[in-house]
Amino acid sequence: MKKLAPTREQKKTEIEQLSQAELVEMVLGLQKIIAQLQEKLAIATGKSRTTSQTSSKPPSTDLLQKPEKPTIKPEADPKKKPGGQPGHQGKTRKGFGRVDRTEISSPNICLNCGSQELSEVIRVC
């Protein structure tokens, strides 16, 4: 047969029947249990705060969570457009100067199909 768990009222009447010394012992025992649980909680919360940024853990072990302080991105100046700004002296690459010769090079073999008669090839392979 199953024993039914005592209800709140039954527990209350049992505690009311205890002597003062028994109540003091019960309170001291409960305080000891609370202190132990607080230590365990401190250890557990201390471990959960280690992330890949605060320890040598890999980022894949981090839990998905929002950062405590949201990063504030500096807003771009709405007046400025991308690219060179008015009044800014530009810099360009210096050219090669005068061209002294030109050469036209054409391959002897098609790199895609290996055909040697490139003049007869009409479509790209």
Side-chain angles (χ1 to χ4, degrees), residues 50-53 55-63:
T50 56
T51 63
S52 60
Q53 294 178 351
S55 68
S56 60
K57 289 174 47 177
S60 60
T61 60
D62 289 345
L63 296 176

Side-chain angles (χ1 to χ4, degrees), residues 84-90:
Q85 300 298 313
H88 177 72
Q89 182 181 3

Side-chain angles (χ1 to χ4, degrees), residues 13 15 23 28 35 74 101:
T13 56
I15 292 174
L23 289 174
L28 291 175
R101 67 173 184 233

Side-chain angles (χ1 to χ4, degrees), residues 14-72:
E14 289 177 12
I15 292 174
E16 287 174 348
Q17 294 175 355
L18 295 175
S19 68
Q20 185 175 4
E22 292 172 327
L23 289 174
V24 169
E25 288 298 319
M26 182 185 289
V27 169
L28 291 175
L30 291 174
Q31 286 179 341
K32 184 178 179 182
I33 292 171
I34 289 171
Q36 292 171 348
L37 291 174
Q38 286 176 337
E39 288 176 15
K40 287 182 181 180
L41 180 64
I43 291 170
T45 55
K47 285 184 180 177
S48 67
R49 292 187 185 193
T50 56
T51 63
S52 60
Q53 294 178 351
T54 60
S55 68
S56 60
K57 289 174 47 177
S60 60
T61 60
D62 289 345
L63 296 176
L64 295 177
Q65 58 185 354
K66 292 183 180 178
E68 292 178 6
K69 295 180 181 178
T71 56
I72 300 171

Side-chain angles (χ1 to χ4, degrees), residues 83-94:
Q85 300 298 313
H88 177 72
Q89 182 181 3
K91 296 180 181 177
T92 58
R93 197 176 105 180
K94 294 182 179 178

